[in-house]
Amino acid sequence: RQQLVAPPRSPREATGEMREVVTVQVGGFANFVGSHFWNFQDELLGLADDPAADAAFRTAPLDMDVLYRTGETLQGVSTYCPRLVSVGSRGSLGSLSSSGAPSLSSAASDQLNVTTWSGNVTRSVEKPHGRNLFLQSLTEQEPNPSTSNGGNNSQKSVEDKDLVECLEKDVNFWTDYTKVQYHPQSLYEMYGSWTDFDKFDNFGTAREVVSEWSLMEEMNEKLRFFVEECDHIQGIQFIVDDSGGFSSIAATYLENIADDYTNTPVLLYCVRDPVTHGSSRNQRDTITRSLHDAVSLSKLSSFCSLMVPIGLPSLSQSSLSPFLSIQDAKPFHSSAISAAAIHSVTVPFRLQNAGPASNIAHSSGNIDMRELVHIISDQGRQNMVTALDVAMPAPSLKDGNDLWNMKSLRTLTPEISDEEEDPYSVESLVVHGVLRAGGHRASISQVKDSVYSAYEGRATKPKFSHLSVSPCPLPIPLPFPSIFRSHIGQHGEILSNHAEGTQPKGSLDVESIPMAARLRSSNAVLPFIERRSLSLQKFGVARGSLGTQILRDWGFGREEMEDMSEHLSKMVRAFHPEGGLTSDSD
Amino acid sequence: VDPHAEPERGGDEQVGGPGHEHRRRQGGLQDVLKTNLGPKGTIKMLVGGAGDIKLTKDGNTLLKEMQIQNPTAIMIARTAVAQDDTSGDGTTSTVLFIGELMKMSERCIEEGTHPRFLVDGFEVAKKATLEFLETFKTPVVIGDQPDREILKMVARTTLRTKLYEGLADQLTDIVVNAVLCIRQSDQPIDLFMVEIMHMRHKFDVDTRLIEGLVLDHGSRHPDMKRRAENCYILTANVSLEYEKSEINAGFFYSNAEQREKMVTAERRQVDERVQKIIELKNKVCAGTDKNFVVINQKGIDPPSLDLLARAGIIALRRAKRRNMERLVLACGGEAINSVEGMTEDCLGWAGLVYEHVLGEEKYTFVENVKNPHSCTILIKGPNDHTIAQIKDAVRDGLRSVKNTVEDEAVVLGAGAFEMAARKHLIDNVKKTVKGRAQLGVGAFADALLVIPKTLAENSGLDTQDVIVSLENEHDRGLVVGLNHNTGEPVDPEMEGIYDNYSVKRQIVNSGPIIASQLLLVDEVIRAGRNMRKPT
C-alpha cells in the first residue's frame, strides 16, 4: 500500500495549455513575504535573458506566465506584471502609491488643479515618505542606461554594497525592498473608519472594516479583474498574515472567493511574523490570543482547499540557524524564509514541458494546484492543515548511490510534533537546483534516484508521496537580506573549510540557493489543531467561561461559536482512525 | 507600520480644564467640517505620504479620512456617519449641530445651570422641532408620475454643494432620470441597480446616463463581433469551462489511456452545455438579422469560446454577481443557472451591444433596451481623484432623489427651516416649559442657527448681519433663507433650494441625543473629581 506515486500527468500535458495562478496577499507580514516572493520572480525574469547567468536560469524552466500577465498601459506601453491582489492597511505602502507608481512629489501635488470645484481649495499634504537608497537606485537605472561596463565594475560593487547595507538598516515598509512593477489594480489600501491598525491585533478588531460593504466589494472587483482574463485558472494562492484582524478580513475574502469561483482551489498560507508571538501581559490577553488562533483556524480553513501555517515563534533559535542567521525582530529577514519556501511550493505549478521529446531533461513532477490539493488533502486522512518543511539550502548529492538527506528538511510550521513516523502521512516534495559534489547541477534523474532511495530507507514510509524536481535553484536578488552564514558558498553549497564567526553573507556573495520544500499532511500537525480546538471549548463554548464575552464582542452568537467548535473537533477527529480512516486493513 | 497621520489636525489634542473634556474636545471636529457646508464651502485636497490624492467636500468622507483618537470625537463622528448611512447626507450638519449644542450648553453651565436642566430642555425642544418639521415640510406628490421638477431641485441643491454649478447642473438630470429609471411601483428603490462606472480620459470631465448596462470587460475571442444590433441577451450562471472534478484528479488512473478517456468525457459535458446555447441561438436568430450575446457569471474557456464564436455568438465571462441582477432588470429575461430547458422567454433584449477599448481596459455597452429598470452612470475624468469625487457627488445626488421619492416631502433649504424652527421654539415652545429647562430650549433654538451662520461665514458674509436680516423677515411672517451670493434674504421656494426631509429629521433627532449623553457623562466625571479632591 505504501508506494511512491508516479507523477500524474497534468492537464497541461494533455492540452498543452498554460494554467494561471492568481496570488492574493492580505495583511502586513503577508505583504512582506510577498515582496520577497515577487523579487525572486523578477530576478528569474532578469536572469532568463542574461547571457552571463547560470545555465539553470537561462533555459527558463519555469513558466512565468503562470504568475504574470501581459498588459498595456493607457499610453500603449506594454507591461508584464504579477497577477496579484495585495491588501494592506492604509499607509502600509510607504512611498509607493496605490496605483503602483512611485509617489508624486509634494511640489507636483501643489500644481494640481481641482476641476470639479470653483470655490476655495485647502490642501493638506502629509510629509512624503522618503525613498531609501535602494528605491532611488531603481528609478535611477532606467533613464541612465549608459553607464559603461568597462572599468566600472569595482565602483559598481561598492554601490551595491551600500544598497544592501541600507536595506539591513532601513526597511519600514514592504515596499522598501520591492523591485517589482505592480499593476494599478494590484494594490489595495484599506480605509477603515477610525480603525486603529496598530491595534488591529485580533479577529474581532476587523468587524467594522469587514462590515463596510464597499471595501469587500472593491477587493472582490480587484480579484475579478485578474481572474476574468485567465483562460484556465489552476488556482489561487492566498497569503494571509493571520496574527491579527487581517485574519477576519481574509476569512470574509475567502468566503466571497468560494462563492464566486466555486471550483477554483485556494492554497492558503497563514504567515506570522516571529514578533507577533510576544508573551501575553495578563490572563485576558492570553485568552484573547488563544481564541483568536482558534477562531482564525476555524474560519480560514472553512473556505480554502489547503491551509499551510507558517511562522515559528523564533527563526534565530530554530533548526534553520546552522545555515541562516536571522534576526527575529526584522520582518525583512523572517519574511524572506517564508517567501523562499512558498516559491519552492509553486515550482511544480509552472514547470515547462518543452514537448514530449525533451521532456526528460527539463523537469519532473509538474502538477497543478488542484492535483496538489487532491494529493495532500484527499488521500489518507481528510486533513487539510499541512506542515511546510524546507531545506534552505538543500544539501548536495554525494557521489555514488547515495540517499538524499531527508533530515535536512526543517519545519516552518509552529506547534507541531516532531513525530516523523506516520504511516498515513501524505507528502509532496519539491527539490530544485540541487548540486552534486563538485558544484555541478545534479541531473533530474540523479535527484530522483537519490530521493527515492532515501524514501525507501525510511523506517515508516508515508502513504503517498509526490516528487517534483527542477534544475532551477532559488535566485538571490540584490534586495535579499544578508542572512547566510559564512559557510554557505556562492551557489548555496555548504563549504567545509570556512572561517568561523564572520559576517553573514548576503546577495553579493550568494547568487543562488538549492532548495527543497515539502508539504506534509501527517499527525504531526495534530497538536496545532487540537490546541485550538481545546481552547475554543475551554474558553469560548463552555458556559460561563471568560472567553464567551470576548467572542460575543467579536460578533459571534452562541450558535456560531458552537459551529466553529464543532468544525475544529471534526478536524481533530480526522486523525483518529475510528473517525476518519476506512481502509486500515494491514 | 506607520498609520496615516491625521490629514487635518482636528484639534482633538486640546486639553480642556477638569470636567469640561467632552465639551471642549469636540470643537476640533466642528472646525474641520465647518468649511464644508454649502455651495460656497471649501473643498479639501488631501495628499497622503505616498502622494495619493483625495478630494472631498463631504463631511462623511472627511471624517473617515481623519485618524480620530479622541473617544468623544469618535462618538460624534460615528453618529454623523450613521446619519450618512441612513439618509445619505447631513454629516457635516450633524457635527455642526452637536458642536453648537455643546457650545451653547457650555455658557449655561458656566453660569451655574446643572446639565440635567439642559438635557430636559433639549428633549422638549427636540420633540417640538420634529412636530414643527411636520407642518413646515413641503409635501411632494409622487404617484406614478412624480414631479420631476421638484426632484431636480432637490438633486441640484445637493450636487451644488459638492461640484461647481455647471457640473452639478449637468448631473442633475442624470441622477433624477437614473432614480426614475430603476424605480418600480410598490418596491423600495434599490440604488445598487444604478451601476456607477468610470473611465479615465485625458482631459474630459464628462458624465452620461446609459439606459442599460456598461460592463468593465469584453469578449475574449478575436472572432467575436465588437458591435452588434438587435441582440438577444442570455444572462447565465453556468460553468462553460473544463474543470477537472475532484474525484478524477490525476491519481486514480491506472494508465494514460484511461485518463484521456475521462478528460474527453468531461470535456464533452462542457461542449454539450455550449451546444444547448448554440441551439437556442439558432432557434431564435435563424433567418433574421438578430444577434445573440451570452453574459456569464462563471468562466468560459477557450474551446467553449471557439464554439460560441463559430456560431456567431458574443460571449462575456466572469461578469460580476450584481450585474446578473442588473442585466435582467435592464434587458428582461431571467438569469439562468442551467442550460436545461432554456426557452426564448429566458432571453433579454438590447438594441445595441458594443465594445469600447481603452488600453488594456475593455468596456461592453448594452444599450437601447426596452423599459429598463437598471441603468449605468458613466463618469469620465482625467484622474482618479477627480473621478472619485464626482462619484461621491453622484451617490449623494442619487440618495437625495431617492429620499424625496420615499419621504414624499421636502424641506425649504438655505437655512430657512432652521430660522423658522428657532422662531417657533422661542415664540411658542419656550414659555410652555417650567423652570430652568427653558434654558435648554433656548440653547437648542440658538444652536439651530449654526446652519445659516455657517453658510454665511463660508460665503464671506457677516454672520450677525445675516442672522438679523433673516430674523426680521421671519418676524414679518416670511419664510426666507440666505442668498449666499448677496447675503440678502431669499425665498428658497423661488430659487428651488430644497433639502431632504429625512435628512433634516435625523439631524434634529440625533444631535440632541449625543449632546445630552456628553453633558451627562461630563457631569459624572466632574462629580467623581470633586469627591476625590484632597481638601
Side-chain angles (χ1 to χ4, degrees):
Chain A
R1 216 164 32 82
Q2 289 153 356
Q3 57 178 329
L4 280 167
V5 177
R9 280 156 50 91
S10 77
R12 189 80 200 283
E13 279 172 88
T15 60
E17 284 148 352
M18 185 272 296
R19 292 177 60 87
E20 305 91 343
V21 170
V22 178
T23 304
V24 179
Q25 297 159 198
V26 175
F29 194 64
N31 284 315
F32 269 83
V33 172
S35 186
H36 281 302
F37 177 83
W38 294 109
N39 277 350
F40 296 140
Q41 315 314 321
D42 194 63
E43 192 70 10
L44 283 174
L45 284 170
L47 290 169
D49 293 334
D50 183 354
D54 191 325
F57 295 118
R58 273 185 292 117
T59 48
L62 298 184
D63 186 349
M64 299 307 288
D65 288 344
V66 172
L67 295 171
Y68 277 66
R69 65 182 290 281
T70 312
E72 178 183 318
T73 64
L74 271 181
Q75 287 74 36
V77 182
S78 69
T79 59
Y80 196 54
C81 298
R83 305 176 194 282
L84 165 72
V85 178
S86 147
V87 178
S89 57
R90 97 191 215 172
S92 65
L93 290 176
S95 61
L96 193 69
S97 86
S98 56
S99 64
S103 66
L104 209 68
S105 71
S106 56
S109 63
D110 283 346
Q111 306 287 314
L112 283 168
N113 288 322
V114 177
T115 48
T116 48
W117 190 244
S118 50
N120 295 333
V121 180
T122 57
R123 286 183 167 74
S124 160
V125 182
E126 253 180 74
K127 191 171 155 284
H129 292 296
R131 292 160 56 75
N132 64 25
L133 213 54
F134 170 70
L135 293 177
Q136 287 170 26
S137 77
L138 289 180
T139 36
E140 274 163 18
Q141 269 170 20
E142 283 150 29
N144 193 14
S146 58
T147 22
S148 61
N149 36 13
N152 263 357
N153 265 345
S154 60
Q155 193 195 334
K156 180 83 176 91
S157 72
V158 171
E159 284 172 21
D160 284 349
K161 198 167 140 263
D162 295 339
L163 299 182
V164 169
E165 247 170 50
C166 118
L167 290 177
E168 285 299 321
K169 281 187 225 128
D170 193 17
V171 167
N172 297 312
F173 304 101
W174 66 267
T175 54
D176 282 346
Y177 57 92
T178 194
K179 61 177 190 135
V180 178
Q181 175 67 51
Y182 293 100
H183 190 272
Q185 291 279 1
S186 279
L187 308 179
Y188 186 68
E189 272 185 296
M190 281 193 329
Y191 284 76
S193 336
W194 318 300
T195 304
D196 189 345
F197 285 106
D198 281 347
K199 294 192 194 113
F200 206 48
D201 63 355
N202 65 54
F203 205 88
T205 49
R207 253 182 93 193
E208 214 164 65
V209 182
V210 172
S211 66
E212 197 145 319
W213 171 82
S214 61
L215 188 122
M216 288 316 298
E217 180 78 1
E218 279 165 24
M219 283 162 59
N220 291 339
E221 280 304 289
K222 289 200 176 278
L223 183 60
R224 194 178 68 87
F225 172 84
F226 292 103
V227 177
E228 190 272 333
E229 61 185 16
C230 295
D231 278 338
H232 301 276
I233 186 168
Q234 61 168 295
I236 294 171
Q237 64 169 345
F238 196 120
I239 310 175
V240 57
D241 177 348
D242 71 337
S243 62
F246 281 105
S247 178
S248 161
I249 287 163
T252 312
Y253 206 1
L254 285 167
E255 191 176 352
N256 291 342
I257 290 170
D259 276 356
D260 284 344
Y261 315 110
T262 317
N263 291 316
T264 308
V266 178
L267 175 50
L268 177 70
Y269 299 96
C270 299
V271 295
R272 288 195 185 190
D273 187 343
V275 298
T276 59
H277 289 267
S279 56
S280 304
R281 279 165 296 142
N282 54 43
Q283 195 194 8
R284 193 186 161 84
D285 264 10
T286 315
I287 293 176
T288 305
R289 290 305 318 154
S290 306
L291 286 175
H292 168 81
D293 288 349
V295 171
S296 288
L297 175 64
S298 173
K299 287 286 172 191
L300 292 172
S301 63
S302 299
F303 299 106
C304 66
S305 320
L306 208 60
M307 179 171 172
V308 187
I310 309 175
L312 298 173
S314 164
L315 283 164
S316 59
Q317 308 291 316
S318 71
S319 54
L320 292 157
S321 59
F323 307 105
L324 304 174
S325 152
I326 302 153
Q327 295 175 37
D328 287 330
K330 286 184 179 171
F332 174 55
H333 277 196
S334 41
S335 59
I337 312 300
S338 315
I342 292 173
H343 169 79
S344 297
V345 175
T346 68
V347 164
F349 304 155
R350 50 211 183 107
L351 289 175
Q352 298 207 90
N353 283 301
S358 56
N359 205 355
I360 333 108
H362 273 314
S363 63
S364 161
N366 44 340
I367 45 172
D368 69 14
M369 202 184 281
R370 188 185 307 275
E371 286 165 322
L372 176 78
V373 165
H374 180 62
I375 290 171
I376 301 287
S377 67
D378 291 349
Q379 309 291 317
R381 300 188 184 90
Q382 301 289 307
N383 164 48
M384 45 98 76
V385 181
T386 308
L388 177 59
D389 312 318
V390 66
M392 183 175 180
S396 302
L397 303 185
K398 298 190 193 72
D399 286 328
N401 204 359
D402 148 69
L403 308 184
W404 191 69
N405 182 6
M406 299 296 286
K407 291 265 183 280
S408 63
L409 290 162
R410 324 285 163 126
T411 194
L412 294 178
T413 300
E415 299 174 50
I416 64 171
S417 75
D418 300 330
E419 190 68 60
E420 279 271 351
E421 310 302 310
D422 176 7
Y424 296 107
S425 80
V426 180
E427 304 182 353
S428 169
L429 176 65
V430 182
V431 182
H432 59 112
V434 165
L435 300 165
R436 271 188 294 145
H440 295 286
R441 209 61 73 189
S443 76
I444 302 290
S445 56
Q446 282 168 333
V447 177
K448 275 163 79 174
D449 290 347
S450 172
V451 174
Y452 285 159
S453 24
Y455 268 107
E456 288 303 322
R458 271 163 78 168
T460 312
K461 297 177 192 70
K463 187 171 182 216
F464 285 111
S465 71
H466 177 266
L467 172 66
S468 304
V469 187
S470 159
C472 185
L474 178 77
I476 300 300
L478 180 87
F480 190 86
S482 300
I483 53 171
F484 297 107
R485 298 230 181 252
S486 53
H487 62 288
I488 305 294
Q490 191 185 4
H491 299 287
E493 68 277 23
I494 296 160
L495 306 171
S496 45
N497 50 341
H498 67 281
E500 280 286 350
T502 43
Q503 285 286 311
K505 289 180 180 175
S507 54
L508 301 180
D509 302 309
V510 180
E511 274 175 17
S512 65
I513 289 285
M515 290 282 296
R518 174 174 65 177
L519 288 176
R520 172 164 57 112
S521 165
S522 83
N523 57 15
V525 298
L526 184 55
F528 179 91
I529 306 171
E530 247 171 359
R531 187 160 157 189
R532 284 155 178 76
S533 177
L534 280 175
S535 47
L536 195 56
Q537 275 165 22
K538 194 166 114 202
F539 301 126
V541 177
R543 278 184 200 276
S545 59
L546 276 161
T548 315
Q549 188 55 45
I550 297 174
L551 287 175
R552 207 171 292 142
D553 291 346
W554 293 357
F556 296 113
R558 170 144 293 273
E559 210 166 287
E560 203 171 352
M561 285 182 215
E562 277 161 6
D563 285 352
M564 288 191 292
S565 177
E566 173 53 28
H567 182 69
L568 292 182
S569 310
K570 210 172 132 203
M571 290 169 81
V572 171
R573 281 202 299 274
F575 287 90
H576 298 303
E578 65 274 20
L581 292 173
T582 47
S583 59
D584 198 13
S585 51
D586 285 6
Chain B
V1 274
D2 187 40
H4 230 43
E6 277 172 60
E8 301 256 340
R9 204 150 273 280
D12 315 329
E13 260 73 35
Q14 284 177 23
V15 182
H20 309 104
E21 273 151 48
H22 289 105
R23 274 172 275 143
R24 287 266 170 82
R25 282 205 177 156
Q26 46 69 38
L29 273 188
Q30 198 183 359
D31 290 341
V32 176
L33 296 196
K34 202 157 113 181
T35 58
N36 280 341
L37 198 73
K40 288 279 163 164
T42 301
I43 200 165
K44 274 100 184 160
M45 180 187 275
L46 311 174
V47 184
D52 287 325
I53 298 164
K54 187 124 195 172
L55 213 50
T56 188
K57 211 179 144 285
D58 186 47
N60 189 41
T61 312
L62 203 57
L63 279 182
K64 290 184 173 179
E65 285 296 309
M66 293 168 70
Q67 289 278 298
I68 306 169
Q69 307 289 338
N70 178 279
T72 314
I74 289 181
M75 189 166 151
I76 295 173
R78 267 185 216 280
T79 313
V81 170
Q83 156 93 28
D84 192 275
D85 290 346
T86 46
S87 53
D89 205 350
T91 314
T92 302
S93 301
T94 304
V95 170
L96 292 186
F97 186 43
I98 296 173
E100 200 70 2
L101 282 170
M102 297 304 286
K103 204 162 107 189
M104 295 296 159
S105 308
E106 178 88 345
R107 280 185 204 154
C108 298
I109 291 168
E110 270 165 16
E111 286 163 13
T113 311
H114 192 279
R116 189 71 243 179
F117 294 116
L118 295 172
V119 170
D120 290 346
F122 285 178
E123 188 55 36
V124 173
K126 183 181 96 179
K127 213 167 145 246
T129 310
L130 290 174
E131 280 163 13
F132 177 73
L133 179 61
E134 293 305 313
T135 61
F136 187 83
K137 71 181 183 187
T138 313
V140 179
V141 181
I142 297 298
D144 286 340
Q145 290 292 320
D147 183 347
R148 199 175 272 269
E149 283 315 305
I150 204 136
L151 295 179
K152 276 167 74 174
M153 285 189 266
V154 179
R156 191 186 304 124
T157 306
T158 299
L159 287 166
R160 279 190 181 178
T161 66
K162 314 283 178 186
L163 302 168
Y164 74 86
E165 263 186 42
L167 194 53
D169 294 353
Q170 191 206 343
L171 285 175
T172 302
D173 277 318
I174 292 176
V175 299
V176 171
N177 291 341
V179 174
L180 292 180
C181 166
I182 62 163
R183 176 172 171 260
Q184 298 188 69
S185 49
D186 306 328
Q187 278 181 37
I189 295 170
D190 180 2
L191 287 183
F192 282 127
M193 291 308 114
V194 181
E195 166 78 311
I196 304 177
M197 286 285 290
H198 67 263
M199 283 185 189
R200 247 169 307 260
H201 214 271
K202 276 172 207 121
F203 314 104
D204 250 15
V205 177
D206 180 33
T207 301
R208 74 182 179 101
L209 179 71
I210 288 124
E211 297 208 325
L213 218 58
V214 182
L215 308 160
D216 60 359
H217 51 128
S219 68
R220 288 276 172 197
H221 195 284
D223 298 342
M224 285 178 183
K225 286 187 199 167
R226 299 292 175 245
R227 182 189 170 89
E229 287 175 20
N230 297 328
C231 302
Y232 283 109
I233 309 287
L234 175 63
T235 308
N237 184 17
V238 176
S239 172
L240 298 179
E241 61 186 346
Y242 162 67
E243 292 158 342
K244 204 156 32 98
S245 56
E246 302 280 327
I247 336 136
N248 294 324
F251 245 71
F252 295 134
Y253 305 112
S254 51
N255 57 49
E257 193 189 330
Q258 195 186 348
R259 182 192 164 85
E260 214 60 51
K261 243 188 203 159
M262 285 305 300
V263 170
T264 320
E266 286 191 31
R267 178 75 248 172
R268 197 165 52 228
Q269 285 180 7
V270 178
D271 290 348
E272 277 167 11
R273 270 177 245 153
V274 175
Q275 214 52 54
K276 286 243 165 63
I277 293 172
I278 294 174
E279 278 165 25
L280 181 63
K281 186 258 174 184
N282 289 338
K283 198 173 131 201
V284 297
C285 297
T288 67
D289 62 348
K290 290 171 185 169
N291 283 292
F292 200 92
V293 180
V294 179
I295 299 173
N296 193 9
Q297 192 186 333
K298 292 258 164 60
I300 310 179
D301 64 11
S304 298
L305 286 171
D306 254 341
L307 289 173
L308 292 167
R310 255 181 276 155
I313 294 173
I314 299 173
L316 277 75
R317 67 189 180 200
R318 303 274 183 211
K320 73 171 124 173
R321 181 188 298 251
R322 208 183 289 280
N323 276 347
M324 297 289 100
E325 206 181 331
R326 289 178 180 141
L327 271 168
V328 170
L329 285 172
C331 307
E334 57 183 277
I336 58 141
N337 292 309
S338 153
V339 292
E340 301 304 323
M342 282 187 301
T343 64
E344 190 174 347
D345 296 339
C346 305
L347 301 174
W349 177 264
L352 177 63
V353 175
Y354 65 98
E355 194 174 289
H356 180 85
V357 181
L358 269 177
E360 66 177 14
E361 287 162 29
K362 279 186 185 177
Y363 299 88
T364 302
F365 288 70
V366 181
E367 284 195 70
N368 300 354
V369 296
K370 294 175 190 161
N371 191 23
H373 291 298
S374 176
C375 57
T376 302
I377 294 177
L378 180 67
I379 299 167
K380 283 186 195 167
N383 48 46
D384 289 341
H385 57 269
T386 305
I387 290 170
Q389 202 230 334
I390 297 175
K391 233 183 215 182
D392 287 345
V394 163
R395 288 213 178 90
D396 289 346
L398 290 170
R399 285 299 288 267
S400 71
V401 178
K402 171 182 149 76
N403 286 342
T404 310
V405 172
E406 290 177 349
D407 295 345
E408 301 194 355
V410 287
V411 179
L412 290 172
F417 166 69
E418 287 76 9
M419 294 302 303
R422 174 175 182 271
K423 185 173 157 53
H424 171 69
L425 289 175
I426 300 292
D427 293 355
N428 308 325
V429 180
K430 202 173 167 187
K431 56 189 156 209
T432 68
V433 179
K434 288 196 188 80
R436 290 200 183 191
Q438 278 198 5
L439 293 170
V441 177
F444 188 104
D446 289 340
L448 285 171
L449 292 187
V450 71
I451 302 297
K453 272 186 192 164
T454 309
L455 288 173
E457 197 179 324
N458 287 348
S459 307
L461 300 165
D462 185 304
T463 49
Q464 286 185 341
D465 284 353
V466 166
I467 295 298
V468 168
S469 70
L470 289 179
E471 271 177 346
N472 288 340
E473 295 295 311
H474 278 260
D475 286 342
R476 287 170 50 210
L478 297 170
V479 176
V480 292
L482 169 70
N483 180 327
H484 58 79
N485 290 317
T486 62
E488 296 298 312
V490 65
D491 180 358
E493 197 178 339
M494 296 294 289
E495 299 290 314
I497 305 171
Y498 286 105
D499 290 330
N500 275 142
Y501 161 79
S502 47
V503 174
K504 284 279 183 244
R505 194 184 157 78
Q506 249 228 308
I507 295 169
V508 172
N509 220 341
S510 59
I513 294 178
I514 296 299
S516 300
Q517 281 175 9
L518 294 177
L519 287 173
L520 293 177
V521 170
D522 253 8
E523 201 44 43
V524 173
I525 293 173
R526 188 200 298 227
R529 286 242 168 92
N530 289 342
M531 273 161 63
R532 270 186 277 113
K533 263 188 186 156
T535 50

